[in-house]
Amino acid sequence: MAYITTPIYYANAAPHIGSAYTTLAADVFARYWRNCKKEPTFFLTGTDEHGAKIAQSAEAEEKDPQLFVDAMADYFREAWQALDIKPDGFIRTSDPAHAAVVQTVLQKLYDAGHIYEGEYSGWYCVGCEEFKTETQMGPDFTCPIHLTPLKQVSESAYLFKLSAYKEKLVHLIESDQFKVQPETRKNEVLGFLRQDELRDVAISRQNVAWGIPLPWDSSHTIYVWVDALLNYYSASVPSGPDFGGARPIFPPTLQLIGKDILRFHAVTWPALLLAAELPLPKELFVHGYFTIDGHKMSKSLGNIITPQELIDRYGVDGARYVLLASTQFGVDGDVSWEQFDSLYNHHLANNIGNVVSRVQAMAVRYLEGQITLSAIDHTLIASYMSALEMADLSRGLQLIQNKFDAINSAIEQTKPWELAKSNDSQLPGLIGGWLGDIFTVGALLAPYMPDTAEKIVGIFGTSINQINYATLDKEIVGDARTIAPTEPLFPRLSV
Ligand code: MSP
């Protein structure tokens, strides 16, 4: 089984396009596995609901923390549904079934001597829920991400012997047994592991009431990051959260995260798993962060874009497209409404939408809708599959765009409207070839734009579920089909 995860998002504010980006990327891989590879797949996402940050947000709204996170979790569920993102499980850390698994794991680690009682002092950022090391701090003890002063904390805590795993982690990451992608992020973790002193980490907090109590000392709650990281595991345990019967098989095949939470996922998480004698995830893919018009997206700057705003302007598949196409998967990028508009108009309205309706119209006008499909581009299919195997989501999309560009230029060059005038015998072959290509790229679009893909393959009287991607060529070449005109896929925006 393929098992893919996203970070669980802090349930302190409604989702924005940053959290939507990771979740959407995971949806693309999950759909690729389900539809194109026909592999049993479990896609997990959810919300991170404990800790000081959540408690403070609930308090600011004078709400009980549980009621507060209940409402927030619904916002996330609804946002993903609106974007046609289809997780197989939505986990919430305030679910008692998750809490029980977390307690069992920690008790096991404690009994085996991996956890000891001590003191922890350091500089804490509530926004990150993280003690910052010297190299992670901004000037004058500030958080470089939130630009707020760090809080000096000195308290009694239980600590996990993270320092014992330094060499082992370096080896596992270096050898790709635990694969961290892209290469730059792998090097970043290795650099950090080699240079910084790897301190034991606090796994409990003494003064944070909103959390899971430590099973052997209820005067402490479990540190929110330990609670949160274990979601990827608790989801797989039979006594864990209920997802209506289905459950993933541990360990994850692919974990997607943003670069901000790399250390937790590439150091703390695998070390906890090693101590608990559990297998490590196969691959961690770290994508970049996007800024809006050059600024960090934040409540205080008032520049937050919500997924619904994108849907209102571009439709569901349009919103998915502009988000996925605006930056290179794996690196940072800047986005803006102008850029989204331009992607929509150039790539969707003028290219994909226009090519489909042009070729459809030619088939109807010149061939009375009666065509025989030909010309399946094997190289395209193979390159697409290998791009997605390598988690290169941007390349998969680029290949599809290139194909539409190529059909467009071929139309301009061969001028079918002139061939039609002279009843040229090349015409059915040309149109059949373009339609074969359109069918192929339509099928390949399914992970990215599910509804558009259905509409395109629907022109040929089939649906995505019926397509066998392993034999895509054999399915359609030589088939006689009747083509009818349909609604335009992407009406042009007036900007
Ligand atoms: N709750 C923790 C994660 C725990 S996982 C065991 C957390 N939550 S978060 O709500 O802050 O979400 C962080 C994730 O959202 C990032 O890692 C990233 O995947 C995504 N993004 C949030 N803002 C983003 C951008 N501006 N750009 C791209 N991705 C962004 O950290």
Side-chain angles (χ1 to χ4, degrees):
M1 173 187 267
Y3 173 23
I4 185 165
T5 68
T6 72
I8 48 173
Y9 304 101
Y10 285 126
N12 69 323
H16 52 59
I17 57 170
S19 33
Y21 182 69
T22 318
T23 326
L24 190 52
D27 188 57
V28 172
F29 291 115
R31 285 174 184 274
Y32 166 70
W33 288 334
R34 283 189 214 117
N35 293 327
C36 307
K37 295 181 75 187
K38 306 276 186 239
E39 226 178 280
T41 297
F42 198 99
F43 161 21
L44 181 73
T45 189
T47 37
D48 188 351
E49 306 188 343
H50 287 135
K53 173 181 174 126
I54 306 288
Q56 286 172 10
S57 305
E59 202 182 296
E61 293 193 17
E62 293 175 12
K63 285 196 180 127
D64 166 71
Q66 186 65 56
L67 295 178
F68 175 77
V69 294
D70 286 349
M72 284 295 164
D74 282 342
Y75 289 139
F76 279 87
R77 275 211 185 88
E78 286 158 14
W80 304 156
Q81 205 173 356
L83 275 170
D84 205 2
I85 291 172
K86 293 241 160 69
D88 300 289
F90 187 99
I91 193 167
R92 300 182 50 193
T93 52
S94 69
D95 181 340
H98 161 78
V101 176
V102 173
Q103 286 183 322
T104 308
V105 174
L106 285 186
Q107 184 71 54
K108 185 176 154 191
L109 294 179
Y110 185 59
D111 294 344
H114 299 293
I115 290 173
Y116 62 95
E117 192 173 4
E119 280 286 319
Y120 199 91
S121 49
W123 293 89
Y124 199 76
C125 169
V126 177
C128 300
E129 291 281 19
E130 183 178 20
F131 282 102
K132 300 282 180 187
T133 63
E134 257 171 50
T135 51
Q136 282 177 302
M137 278 180 209
D140 301 325
F141 301 98
T142 51
C143 168
I145 297 168
H146 293 91
L147 310 173
T148 46
L150 298 170
K151 203 175 145 206
Q152 192 167 24
V153 174
S154 193
E155 60 186 21
S156 118
Y158 287 89
L159 291 108
F160 167 61
K161 294 178 182 166
L162 182 64
S163 53
Y165 294 92
K166 185 171 170 142
E167 299 308 322
K168 181 119 205 182
L169 286 173
V170 167
H171 169 70
L172 289 167
I173 294 172
E174 223 167 27
S175 64
D176 282 343
Q177 288 175 66
F178 172 44
K179 192 168 174 189
V180 180
Q181 286 255 81
E183 199 71 14
T184 47
R185 298 297 170 199
K186 173 177 171 176
N187 293 336
E188 183 182 332
V189 187
L190 287 173
F192 159 70
L193 279 169
R194 288 193 186 113
Q195 280 156 28
D196 284 28
E197 169 204 6
L198 196 57
R199 264 181 90 181
D200 290 347
V201 286
I203 55 98
S204 76
R205 297 292 315 270
Q206 216 183 7
N207 300 309
V208 179
W210 179 238
I212 306 172
L214 263 186
W216 65 87
D217 181 349
S218 60
S219 69
H220 288 241
T221 55
I222 295 167
Y223 172 42
V224 61
W225 264 101
V226 172
D227 169 357
L229 287 165
L230 283 168
N231 91 85
Y232 306 128
Y233 173 67
S234 75
S236 73
V237 175
S239 65
D242 177 17
F243 306 119
R247 92 177 32 267
I249 296 173
F250 200 79
T253 319
L254 177 61
Q255 300 206 276
L256 298 186
I257 58 163
K259 62 173 187 179
D260 54 326
I261 53 179
L262 175 60
R263 285 189 191 202
F264 286 112
H265 283 82
V267 180
T268 320
W269 169 229
L272 284 170
L273 290 174
L274 289 171
E277 295 174 6
L278 288 166
L280 300 195
K282 301 270 181 293
E283 178 174 346
L284 178 67
F285 189 96
V286 189
H287 66 70
Y289 242 53
F290 47 71
T291 46
I292 302 200
D293 292 313
H295 299 286
K296 176 181 146 63
M297 190 168 36
S298 82
K299 246 191 203 170
S300 49
L301 284 175
N303 63 349
I304 284 182
I305 299 181
T306 65
Q308 192 56 48
E309 288 175 280
L310 293 186
I311 296 172
D312 291 344
R313 191 159 173 81
Y314 309 114
V316 176
D317 275 4
R320 291 173 68 104
Y321 186 86
V322 297
L323 263 184
L324 291 169
S326 57
T327 59
Q328 182 72 23
F329 192 55
V331 296
D332 291 339
D334 192 47
V335 301
S336 64
W337 280 106
E338 291 72 33
Q339 186 203 1
F340 288 150
D341 278 357
S342 146
L343 280 171
Y344 178 91
N345 270 340
H346 289 109
H347 290 185
L348 298 184
N350 296 353
N351 201 15
I352 299 185
N354 186 41
V355 166
V356 173
S357 57
R358 256 180 121 177
V359 178
Q360 249 179 313
M362 285 190 252
V364 173
R365 188 170 327 140
Y366 306 141
L367 308 172
E368 282 151 4
Q370 303 305 307
I371 53 102
T372 304
L373 294 177
S374 60
I376 291 301
D377 185 342
H378 295 274
T379 325
L380 169 67
I381 300 171
S383 316
Y384 173 92
M385 298 283 186
S386 84
L388 285 175
E389 286 303 312
M390 289 165 66
D392 198 343
L393 201 144
S394 302
R395 170 131 185 90
L397 207 49
Q398 188 62 54
L399 287 164
I400 295 173
Q401 270 305 331
N402 293 350
K403 192 69 193 178
F404 279 106
D405 279 338
I407 304 173
N408 228 345
S409 332
I411 296 173
E412 293 306 318
Q413 265 166 28
T414 51
K415 302 191 174 44
W417 49 93
E418 283 176 10
L419 298 178
K421 277 184 214 150
S422 57
N423 244 332
D424 194 305
S425 61
Q426 288 179 66
L427 199 55
L430 280 174
I431 296 179
W434 295 329
L435 283 166
D437 278 342
I438 288 174
F439 177 85
T440 314
V441 276
L444 299 182
L445 264 181
Y448 296 91
M449 297 201 281
D451 184 51
T452 306
E454 285 296 357
K455 284 181 181 156
I456 295 178
V457 304
I459 299 172
F460 304 91
T462 184
S463 66
I464 293 298
N465 271 338
Q466 288 172 342
I467 292 175
N468 182 351
Y469 283 76
T471 54
L472 201 54
D473 49 348
K474 293 181 194 76
E475 285 198 25
I476 62 158
V477 174
D479 274 13
R481 308 267 169 158
T482 306
I483 301 295
T486 50
E487 294 284 297
L489 292 171
F490 300 104
R492 222 188 128 77
L493 275 183
S494 42
V495 182

Short mmCIF file of all heavy atoms in Angstrom, two decimals, residues 432-471:
data_model
loop_
_atom_site.label_atom_id
_atom_site.label_comp_id
_atom_site.label_asym_id
_atom_site.label_seq_id
_atom_site.Cartn_x
_atom_site.Cartn_y
_atom_site.Cartn_z
N GLY A 432 -7.18 12.96 -36.16
CA GLY A 432 -7.15 11.74 -35.32
C GLY A 432 -5.92 11.73 -34.42
O GLY A 432 -5.97 11.28 -33.28
N GLY A 433 -4.81 12.25 -34.96
CA GLY A 433 -3.57 12.31 -34.17
C GLY A 433 -3.70 13.31 -33.04
O GLY A 433 -3.34 13.02 -31.89
N TRP A 434 -4.24 14.48 -33.35
CA TRP A 434 -4.39 15.49 -32.29
C TRP A 434 -5.36 15.00 -31.21
O TRP A 434 -5.14 15.21 -30.03
CB TRP A 434 -4.89 16.82 -32.88
CG TRP A 434 -3.90 17.43 -33.82
CD1 TRP A 434 -2.54 17.32 -33.74
CD2 TRP A 434 -4.19 18.22 -34.97
NE1 TRP A 434 -1.94 18.01 -34.78
CE2 TRP A 434 -2.94 18.58 -35.55
CE3 TRP A 434 -5.35 18.67 -35.58
CZ2 TRP A 434 -2.83 19.36 -36.71
CZ3 TRP A 434 -5.25 19.46 -36.73
CH2 TRP A 434 -4.00 19.78 -37.29
N LEU A 435 -6.42 14.35 -31.68
CA LEU A 435 -7.38 13.85 -30.69
C LEU A 435 -6.76 12.74 -29.83
O LEU A 435 -7.03 12.66 -28.63
CB LEU A 435 -8.65 13.36 -31.38
CG LEU A 435 -9.59 14.49 -31.82
CD1 LEU A 435 -10.65 13.99 -32.78
CD2 LEU A 435 -10.26 15.17 -30.62
N GLY A 436 -5.93 11.91 -30.44
CA GLY A 436 -5.23 10.88 -29.67
C GLY A 436 -4.37 11.53 -28.59
O GLY A 436 -4.35 11.10 -27.44
N ASP A 437 -3.69 12.59 -28.98
CA ASP A 437 -2.87 13.33 -28.01
C ASP A 437 -3.73 13.97 -26.92
O ASP A 437 -3.35 14.00 -25.76
CB ASP A 437 -2.07 14.43 -28.73
CG ASP A 437 -0.81 13.88 -29.37
OD1 ASP A 437 -0.38 12.77 -28.99
OD2 ASP A 437 -0.26 14.56 -30.27
N ILE A 438 -4.85 14.52 -27.33
CA ILE A 438 -5.73 15.17 -26.35
C ILE A 438 -6.26 14.13 -25.36
O ILE A 438 -6.31 14.37 -24.15
CB ILE A 438 -6.88 15.93 -27.06
CG1 ILE A 438 -6.30 17.17 -27.73
CG2 ILE A 438 -7.99 16.30 -26.08
CD1 ILE A 438 -7.29 17.95 -28.59
N PHE A 439 -6.61 12.97 -25.87
CA PHE A 439 -7.06 11.90 -24.97
C PHE A 439 -5.94 11.56 -23.98
O PHE A 439 -6.17 11.45 -22.77
CB PHE A 439 -7.44 10.66 -25.79
CG PHE A 439 -7.83 9.49 -24.93
CD1 PHE A 439 -9.13 9.35 -24.46
CD2 PHE A 439 -6.88 8.52 -24.56
CE1 PHE A 439 -9.49 8.29 -23.65
CE2 PHE A 439 -7.24 7.46 -23.74
CZ PHE A 439 -8.54 7.34 -23.29
N THR A 440 -4.74 11.42 -24.49
CA THR A 440 -3.61 11.05 -23.62
C THR A 440 -3.37 12.10 -22.54
O THR A 440 -3.29 11.78 -21.36
CB THR A 440 -2.32 10.87 -24.45
OG1 THR A 440 -2.63 10.09 -25.59
CG2 THR A 440 -1.23 10.21 -23.65
N VAL A 441 -3.24 13.36 -22.97
CA VAL A 441 -2.96 14.38 -21.94
C VAL A 441 -4.16 14.57 -21.01
O VAL A 441 -3.99 14.86 -19.82
CB VAL A 441 -2.49 15.75 -22.50
CG1 VAL A 441 -1.02 15.73 -22.77
CG2 VAL A 441 -3.24 16.16 -23.73
N GLY A 442 -5.36 14.36 -21.54
CA GLY A 442 -6.55 14.42 -20.68
C GLY A 442 -6.44 13.39 -19.58
O GLY A 442 -6.66 13.69 -18.40
N ALA A 443 -6.06 12.18 -19.93
CA ALA A 443 -5.92 11.11 -18.94
C ALA A 443 -4.81 11.46 -17.94
O ALA A 443 -4.94 11.24 -16.74
CB ALA A 443 -5.61 9.78 -19.64
N LEU A 444 -3.71 12.03 -18.46
CA LEU A 444 -2.58 12.36 -17.57
C LEU A 444 -2.90 13.55 -16.66
O LEU A 444 -2.22 13.76 -15.65
CB LEU A 444 -1.32 12.65 -18.39
CG LEU A 444 -0.80 11.50 -19.27
CD1 LEU A 444 0.49 11.91 -19.98
CD2 LEU A 444 -0.56 10.23 -18.46
N LEU A 445 -3.90 14.33 -17.03
CA LEU A 445 -4.28 15.47 -16.19
C LEU A 445 -5.03 15.05 -14.93
O LEU A 445 -5.18 15.84 -14.00
CB LEU A 445 -5.19 16.41 -16.97
CG LEU A 445 -4.57 17.62 -17.66
CD1 LEU A 445 -5.67 18.41 -18.36
CD2 LEU A 445 -3.85 18.53 -16.65
N ALA A 446 -5.50 13.79 -14.90
CA ALA A 446 -6.41 13.37 -13.81
C ALA A 446 -5.91 13.67 -12.40
O ALA A 446 -6.68 14.15 -11.57
CB ALA A 446 -6.76 11.89 -13.97
N PRO A 447 -4.63 13.41 -12.07
CA PRO A 447 -4.20 13.71 -10.71
C PRO A 447 -4.26 15.21 -10.38
O PRO A 447 -4.56 15.58 -9.26
CB PRO A 447 -2.75 13.23 -10.67
CG PRO A 447 -2.67 12.20 -11.75
CD PRO A 447 -3.57 12.71 -12.83
N TYR A 448 -4.02 16.06 -11.38
CA TYR A 448 -3.95 17.50 -11.15
C TYR A 448 -5.32 18.16 -11.20
O TYR A 448 -5.65 18.99 -10.37
CB TYR A 448 -3.06 18.16 -12.21
CG TYR A 448 -1.63 17.72 -12.18
CD1 TYR A 448 -1.19 16.63 -12.94
CD2 TYR A 448 -0.70 18.41 -11.41
CE1 TYR A 448 0.14 16.23 -12.92
CE2 TYR A 448 0.63 18.02 -11.38
CZ TYR A 448 1.05 16.93 -12.14
OH TYR A 448 2.36 16.55 -12.11
N MET A 449 -6.06 17.85 -12.26
CA MET A 449 -7.36 18.50 -12.45
C MET A 449 -8.40 17.43 -12.75
O MET A 449 -8.72 17.16 -13.92
CB MET A 449 -7.25 19.52 -13.59
CG MET A 449 -6.27 20.63 -13.27
SD MET A 449 -6.54 22.11 -14.26
CE MET A 449 -5.79 21.63 -15.76
N PRO A 450 -8.91 16.81 -11.69
CA PRO A 450 -9.77 15.63 -11.87
C PRO A 450 -11.00 15.89 -12.73
O PRO A 450 -11.35 15.06 -13.57
CB PRO A 450 -10.17 15.25 -10.45
CG PRO A 450 -9.38 16.08 -9.53
CD PRO A 450 -8.70 17.17 -10.28
N ASP A 451 -11.63 17.03 -12.52
CA ASP A 451 -12.88 17.28 -13.23
C ASP A 451 -12.61 17.56 -14.72
O ASP A 451 -13.31 17.06 -15.60
CB ASP A 451 -13.58 18.47 -12.56
CG ASP A 451 -14.92 18.75 -13.18
OD1 ASP A 451 -15.70 17.78 -13.30
OD2 ASP A 451 -15.19 19.91 -13.56
N THR A 452 -11.57 18.33 -15.00
CA THR A 452 -11.20 18.63 -16.38
C THR A 452 -10.82 17.34 -17.11
O THR A 452 -11.20 17.12 -18.27
CB THR A 452 -10.00 19.61 -16.40
OG1 THR A 452 -10.36 20.74 -15.62
CG2 THR A 452 -9.62 20.02 -17.80
N ALA A 453 -10.07 16.48 -16.42
CA ALA A 453 -9.67 15.22 -17.02
C ALA A 453 -10.91 14.39 -17.39
O ALA A 453 -10.98 13.83 -18.49
CB ALA A 453 -8.77 14.44 -16.06
N GLU A 454 -11.88 14.35 -16.47
CA GLU A 454 -13.12 13.60 -16.76
C GLU A 454 -13.81 14.19 -18.00
O GLU A 454 -14.30 13.46 -18.85
CB GLU A 454 -14.11 13.65 -15.59
CG GLU A 454 -13.77 12.78 -14.40
CD GLU A 454 -13.75 11.27 -14.65
OE1 GLU A 454 -14.06 10.80 -15.78
OE2 GLU A 454 -13.40 10.54 -13.71
N LYS A 455 -13.84 15.51 -18.06
CA LYS A 455 -14.51 16.14 -19.21
C LYS A 455 -13.80 15.80 -20.50
O LYS A 455 -14.44 15.53 -21.53
CB LYS A 455 -14.56 17.66 -19.03
CG LYS A 455 -15.61 18.10 -18.02
CD LYS A 455 -15.62 19.61 -17.91
CE LYS A 455 -16.63 20.10 -16.88
NZ LYS A 455 -16.26 21.42 -16.36
N ILE A 456 -12.47 15.81 -20.47
CA ILE A 456 -11.73 15.53 -21.71
C ILE A 456 -11.91 14.07 -22.12
O ILE A 456 -12.24 13.79 -23.27
CB ILE A 456 -10.23 15.90 -21.57
CG1 ILE A 456 -10.09 17.42 -21.36
CG2 ILE A 456 -9.44 15.44 -22.79
CD1 ILE A 456 -8.67 17.91 -21.18
N VAL A 457 -11.72 13.14 -21.21
CA VAL A 457 -11.86 11.74 -21.64
C VAL A 457 -13.33 11.40 -21.92
O VAL A 457 -13.63 10.49 -22.68
CB VAL A 457 -11.20 10.70 -20.68
CG1 VAL A 457 -9.73 11.01 -20.49
CG2 VAL A 457 -11.92 10.61 -19.35
N GLY A 458 -14.22 12.20 -21.30
CA GLY A 458 -15.65 12.03 -21.57
C GLY A 458 -16.01 12.30 -23.04
O GLY A 458 -16.94 11.72 -23.58
N ILE A 459 -15.23 13.19 -23.67
CA ILE A 459 -15.45 13.47 -25.10
C ILE A 459 -15.33 12.16 -25.90
O ILE A 459 -15.96 11.97 -26.92
CB ILE A 459 -14.40 14.49 -25.61
CG1 ILE A 459 -14.53 15.82 -24.86
CG2 ILE A 459 -14.48 14.68 -27.11
CD1 ILE A 459 -13.42 16.81 -25.16
N PHE A 460 -14.50 11.26 -25.38
CA PHE A 460 -14.25 9.99 -26.08
C PHE A 460 -15.11 8.86 -25.52
O PHE A 460 -14.85 7.69 -25.76
CB PHE A 460 -12.76 9.63 -25.99
CG PHE A 460 -11.87 10.73 -26.51
CD1 PHE A 460 -11.39 11.73 -25.66
CD2 PHE A 460 -11.55 10.80 -27.86
CE1 PHE A 460 -10.61 12.75 -26.14
CE2 PHE A 460 -10.76 11.83 -28.34
CZ PHE A 460 -10.29 12.81 -27.48
N GLY A 461 -16.08 9.22 -24.72
CA GLY A 461 -17.03 8.24 -24.22
C GLY A 461 -16.48 7.32 -23.12
O GLY A 461 -16.96 6.22 -22.93
N THR A 462 -15.44 7.79 -22.41
CA THR A 462 -14.94 6.94 -21.32
C THR A 462 -14.78 7.77 -20.04
O THR A 462 -15.09 8.97 -20.03
CB THR A 462 -13.62 6.24 -21.73
OG1 THR A 462 -13.23 5.36 -20.68
CG2 THR A 462 -12.50 7.22 -22.00
N SER A 463 -14.33 7.16 -18.96
CA SER A 463 -14.09 7.92 -17.73
C SER A 463 -12.76 7.48 -17.13
O SER A 463 -12.24 6.41 -17.46
CB SER A 463 -15.23 7.69 -16.75
OG SER A 463 -15.22 6.35 -16.35
N ILE A 464 -12.22 8.32 -16.25
CA ILE A 464 -10.88 8.09 -15.69
C ILE A 464 -10.77 6.72 -15.03
O ILE A 464 -9.78 6.01 -15.21
CB ILE A 464 -10.50 9.22 -14.70
CG1 ILE A 464 -10.34 10.55 -15.45
CG2 ILE A 464 -9.23 8.89 -13.92
CD1 ILE A 464 -9.24 10.60 -16.50
N ASN A 465 -11.80 6.33 -14.30
CA ASN A 465 -11.75 5.02 -13.62
C ASN A 465 -11.62 3.85 -14.56
O ASN A 465 -11.11 2.80 -14.19
CB ASN A 465 -13.02 4.82 -12.79
CG ASN A 465 -12.82 5.38 -11.40
OD1 ASN A 465 -11.68 5.52 -10.96
ND2 ASN A 465 -13.91 5.71 -10.74
N GLN A 466 -12.11 4.02 -15.77
CA GLN A 466 -12.08 2.90 -16.73
C GLN A 466 -10.76 2.81 -17.47
O GLN A 466 -10.52 1.85 -18.19
CB GLN A 466 -13.19 3.07 -17.76
CG GLN A 466 -14.57 2.81 -17.16
CD GLN A 466 -15.68 3.17 -18.15
OE1 GLN A 466 -15.46 3.90 -19.10
NE2 GLN A 466 -16.86 2.66 -17.87
N ILE A 467 -9.93 3.85 -17.31
CA ILE A 467 -8.70 3.87 -18.11
C ILE A 467 -7.62 3.02 -17.46
O ILE A 467 -7.35 3.15 -16.27
CB ILE A 467 -8.21 5.32 -18.29
CG1 ILE A 467 -9.21 6.06 -19.18
CG2 ILE A 467 -6.82 5.37 -18.90
CD1 ILE A 467 -8.90 7.52 -19.34
N ASN A 468 -7.01 2.17 -18.26
CA ASN A 468 -5.86 1.42 -17.79
C ASN A 468 -4.60 2.12 -18.30
O ASN A 468 -4.28 2.06 -19.48
CB ASN A 468 -5.95 -0.01 -18.31
CG ASN A 468 -4.80 -0.85 -17.81
OD1 ASN A 468 -3.84 -0.34 -17.22
ND2 ASN A 468 -4.89 -2.15 -18.04
N TYR A 469 -3.91 2.79 -17.40
CA TYR A 469 -2.78 3.63 -17.82
C TYR A 469 -1.61 2.81 -18.35
O TYR A 469 -0.80 3.32 -19.12
CB TYR A 469 -2.33 4.54 -16.67
CG TYR A 469 -3.25 5.70 -16.47
CD1 TYR A 469 -4.49 5.52 -15.86
CD2 TYR A 469 -2.92 6.97 -16.91
CE1 TYR A 469 -5.38 6.59 -15.70
CE2 TYR A 469 -3.79 8.05 -16.74
CZ TYR A 469 -5.01 7.84 -16.14
OH TYR A 469 -5.85 8.90 -15.97
N ALA A 470 -1.53 1.56 -17.92
CA ALA A 470 -0.41 0.74 -18.38
C ALA A 470 -0.55 0.41 -19.86
O ALA A 470 0.44 0.14 -20.54
CB ALA A 470 -0.34 -0.53 -17.55
N THR A 471 -1.77 0.45 -20.36
CA THR A 471 -1.98 0.10 -21.77
C THR A 471 -2.74 1.21 -22.48
O THR A 471 -3.56 0.95 -23.35
CB THR A 471 -2.80 -1.20 -21.87
OG1 THR A 471 -4.01 -1.02 -21.11
CG2 THR A 471 -2.05 -2.40 -21.35
#
